[in-house]
Amino acid sequence: MSDPQTRPFLINKDTDGNFRLTVRDTYYNSQGYMLVKAVMHDQLFKTAAAAKTFAQDNFGAKAGQYATK
């Protein structure tokens, strides 16, 4: 599971007013250091709710797993 401080889904607003979804994968290296791999999706969303719905449908996201910037 993910670290409570690093939520797996980041939703932020770009300069044009569109919302973007970034999926983050948290793992630990052999020395126990936390590493985060982030992949921003190309799809643009009109609202944050639309981005959350996309994450729920495609990645199985649940309430409390979102972060905003």
Side-chain angles (χ1 to χ4, degrees), residues 19-62:
F19 289 89
R20 305 289 304 262
L21 176 68
T22 302
V23 178
R24 301 187 287 193
D25 184 28
T26 304
Y27 58 96
Y28 295 89
N29 68 5
S30 62
Q31 297 175 346
Y33 290 104
M34 182 175 74
L35 301 171
V36 179
K37 178 182 174 185
V39 177
M40 181 183 285
H41 286 270
D42 294 331
Q43 189 168 355
L44 301 174
F45 302 97
K46 297 281 185 190
T47 63
K52 287 182 181 181
T53 301
F54 179 81
Q56 289 172 355
D57 293 344
N58 294 295
F59 302 108
K62 297 177 182 159

Side-chain angles (χ1 to χ4, degrees), residues 1-2 6-10 24 55 59-67:
M1 195 75 188
S2 65
T6 306
R7 298 185 181 191
F9 302 101
L10 173 65
R24 301 187 287 193
F59 302 108
K62 297 177 182 159
Q65 292 184 325
Y66 303 103

